[in-house]
Amino acid sequence: MISSMPPTDRTSAPAATPAPTGLRERKKAQTRAAIQRHALRLFRDSGYSATTMEQIAAAADVSPSTLYRYFPTKEDLILTDDYDPLLAAAFRAQPPELPILQAFRAAVDTAMLQVPADGQAEALERARLSYTIPEVRARAMDHMFTTTDMLADLFAERLNRSPHDLEVRVLAGTVIGALLATHQLWLTDPEADMFAILDSALQILIDGPGHLAPGPPQGA
């Protein structure tokens, strides 16, 4: 669920994400992306609640059955993305001697660099909608659990442990906490560089938040 940590523009970003292999898969990816673009446009123009799935299907020039095959619910039009495989591949490619949180931080950077500019803008828009629309926010929490499972699987694979080990689950949960904190701060300042906030949040995990020193007294 990389939409939960949407990328911002980076000067060294490649032109596009890796294309799905096979003509059929590429066409499916193009159809899915086109439907999502039309949905976001309608949400901007008419509002999320006022936009129907039938209107989205008509705008995307697909049948309602095709729309529901790609996106079973309206919330899925905001929450669905193709970024998880990018993150997983980038994480598995990290040097084995790199500590696990440093490897994850590097993988996030690598995965974000593979997202094109239009994908970056859409990811940011979808991230904002996922937190500002109540019914989507509720579903987003379900996606967080799915992302936690994905991270636990990746971490367990690298550590040669079970994804059900408590330590592995806690590690995955701390990363999710960093992502949530990043989103909360970014939503209060839309002009902020979300990538920089996320990078700082992951560095806090690497350094160990338990070692944070007390700050000066409030109002001093």
Side-chain angles (χ1 to χ4, degrees), residues 62-211:
V62 298
S63 67
S65 62
T66 296
L67 171 61
Y68 282 106
R69 186 165 65 248
Y70 284 101
F71 302 99
T73 72
K74 191 160 64 167
E75 291 90 347
D76 291 325
L77 287 156
I78 293 174
L79 297 172
T80 300
D81 61 45
D82 296 322
Y83 300 145
D84 283 1
L86 292 177
L87 178 62
F91 182 73
R92 292 187 175 108
Q94 298 305 310
E97 67 274 10
L98 200 62
I100 192 163
L101 284 175
Q102 294 183 25
F104 182 77
R105 182 188 182 195
V108 170
D109 195 6
T110 299
M112 287 181 174
L113 291 177
Q114 296 181 63
V115 180
D118 57 348
Q120 294 168 7
E122 286 187 7
L124 288 168
E125 183 177 7
R126 289 189 295 103
R128 190 171 304 284
L129 291 173
S130 71
Y131 279 85
T132 55
I133 300 172
E135 54 264 50
V136 181
R137 185 167 63 240
R139 280 289 306 281
M141 294 309 299
D142 290 337
H143 278 241
M144 281 292 183
F145 287 118
T146 301
T147 302
T148 303
D149 289 339
M150 182 199 76
L151 293 177
D153 288 341
L154 287 174
F155 294 162
E157 178 184 307
R158 186 177 181 89
L159 296 170
N160 194 29
R161 299 180 63 166
S162 167
H164 302 294
D165 284 358
L166 178 60
E167 291 174 313
V168 174
R169 303 296 302 186
V170 169
L171 181 61
T174 59
V175 171
I176 292 297
L179 300 178
L180 287 172
T182 297
H183 276 141
Q184 288 176 323
L185 285 178
W186 174 64
L187 287 171
T188 64
D189 183 8
E191 299 303 318
D193 183 344
M194 181 165 174
F195 181 88
I197 299 174
L198 175 58
D199 194 60
S200 296
L202 293 176
Q203 186 61 51
I204 289 171
L205 293 186
I206 292 170
D207 294 339
H211 295 94

Side-chain angles (χ1 to χ4, degrees), residues 26-36 60 62 66 70-71:
R26 288 199 299 273
K27 286 185 175 180
K28 287 172 64 176
Q30 291 168 357
T31 299
R32 183 168 58 248
I35 292 172
Q36 234 168 351
V62 298
T66 296
Y70 284 101
F71 302 99

